[in-house]
């Protein structure tokens, strides 16, 4: 047994993920969330920005490369085991 770190890497947006985590009271279950920043502007419009501005990976959407995010995260943190849960791009 040991410490477990859970992160979210999603091409959704920060408002959506914050609402879901808050609704289910899971904010403290994750040590980091990597997603597209989003804010509500003065007129009430949701404005979403790209997490990565120049993403060129063919496997990921233009706004965020999950492999790049995970690689950069793992370069800063050392783990005994890694478990990835998520979907893969369908062809």
């Amino acid at each position: 047994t040991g410490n477990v770190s859970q992160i979210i890497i999603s091409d959704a947006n920060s408002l959506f993920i914050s609402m879901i985590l808050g609704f289910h009271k899971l904010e403290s279950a994750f040590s980091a969330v990597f997603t597209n920043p989003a804010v509500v502007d003065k007129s009430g419009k949701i404005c979403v920005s790209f997490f990565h501005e120049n993403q060129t990976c063919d496997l990921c959407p233009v706004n965020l490369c999950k492999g790049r995010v995970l690689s950069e995260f793992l370069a800063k943190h050392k783990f005994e085991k890694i478990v990835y849960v998520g979907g893969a791009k369908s062809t």
Side-chain angles (χ1 to χ4, degrees):
T1 64
N3 291 337
V4 175
S5 292
Q6 298 182 113
I7 63 171
I8 293 174
I9 305 172
S10 172
D11 64 339
N13 68 72
S14 57
L15 288 176
F16 177 73
I17 292 173
S18 292
M19 283 193 302
I20 299 280
L21 294 178
F23 180 80
H24 294 286
K25 298 179 178 28
L26 292 171
E27 302 95 336
S28 63
F30 297 90
S31 57
V33 176
F34 301 95
T35 190
N36 300 297
V39 296
V40 178
D41 70 11
K42 292 178 184 176
S43 67
K45 181 179 171 183
I46 296 174
C47 300
V48 181
S49 303
F50 283 2
F51 185 88
H52 290 131
E53 291 298 324
N54 298 310
Q55 197 294 102
T56 59
C57 173
D58 291 336
L59 299 175
C60 297
V62 67
N63 54 309
L64 184 140
C65 177
K66 294 178 182 181
R68 179 175 158 193
V69 171
L70 184 57
S71 293
E72 291 171 357
F73 182 81
L74 293 175
K76 296 176 185 173
H77 302 85
K78 302 300 176 205
F79 296 99
E80 186 176 319
K81 293 182 183 181
I82 299 168
V83 177
Y84 175 87
V85 179
K89 181 178 178 180
S90 60
T91 55

